Amino acid sequence: MKHNTRFTLRILSACIASFLIACSFAGCGSDKTVNATTESEVSVTEAVETTAAIEPVSTEAQTAESSEPAANTTQAVSAEETTEAEAKKPETKAEIVALYNDAANSAKTDSKSILQNYSISTQTKDASISNKMLEGIANKLISANMGHNKAKDNKLWTTQAEKNANFVVEGQTWASKLTEADIAGATCEDKGDYYKITLKLVDDTTPNLKIGSGHAGKGISIVTKDEIVKGAGSLGMSVIEEPSIKVTYKNCKIVATIDKETGKLLTGNYYQDWTLALTALGIDVEVSFGLENDYKINW
């Protein structure tokens, strides 16, 4: 019986570690990095109490609007100027993607600074675990870890290194390599002084994308399998079957505003649904997150 209890605690610890590792990459509410090297035989009560202290996302925060610029309604525009502007408005998917790519890549290299307004994580569906006894505990842990990432809320990135590290695509010198083939739907709305562009990306059916590959990997800051393995550490990977780790992406969307006259990116809002599936000590685990990041570009 003692052996069975010990083994059950190891399984539960492995699942908790798996979820906390996933939460750390979801941009969760804690501003501390999750430590995956905790003793394997942790107390379930202690783990729940620790994560419950993290501030969950509020209903108001979930519905927070991006900092879309207000249209200038005081400046008179002649009919001739309006016609000219309308003629230049991007209409095709290829034109809209090209306009966004130029604006986003220029923002990363040429802007004065980039303000990250917020980063919010949500749990898009209940965790699925092959051991049903653990599902309730796991979902409580996940719920406690959702919310604002305080390390990224209202942060101003000024140096090139900071912009490369924190603006999409994070860790790269570029912001977008999207092509027409990566886009499921594209719209461009004329808002007076600026265009509002919405890009809905094609869902990725192949798991474990690399940065710059697939569809989401070319324009969204995705969580990669390599990051999950690194975050798990040697202890986490001692109970997680590495070949079982699968990260997939869907419902990715970019909403950007671009100045009509200069072509400069003004704001960018990036959303993704991502799912982590893995096996730890013979138990299959799957959890899905929503991640939204919002930025304002200063010129």
Side-chain angles (χ1 to χ4, degrees), residues 241-261:
E241 299 173 20
E242 183 174 346
S244 73
I245 299 175
K246 292 182 174 56
V247 187
T248 54
Y249 318 89
K250 65 177 183 179
N251 299 328
C252 296
K253 184 171 73 170
I254 299 170
V255 180
T257 59
I258 298 175
D259 186 274
K260 286 170 63 175
E261 182 178 353

Side-chain angles (χ1 to χ4, degrees), residues 174-209:
W174 49 271
S176 179
K177 293 184 177 181
L178 292 169
T179 67
E180 185 178 0
D182 299 313
I183 307 302
T187 61
C188 179
E189 303 174 63
D190 191 330
K191 295 292 186 178
D193 291 337
Y194 65 91
Y195 293 127
K196 179 180 178 180
I197 286 178
T198 301
L199 301 175
K200 295 182 179 180
L201 278 59
V202 176
D203 289 346
D204 285 289
T205 56
T206 302
N208 301 333
L209 297 180

Side-chain angles (χ1 to χ4, degrees), residues 54-80:
I54 300 169
E55 179 184 353
V57 62
S58 66
T59 303
E60 180 180 357
Q62 288 179 347
T63 58
E65 296 181 359
S66 63
S67 53
E68 185 176 320
N72 183 358
T73 58
T74 61
Q75 181 177 357
V77 180
S78 68
E80 182 178 353

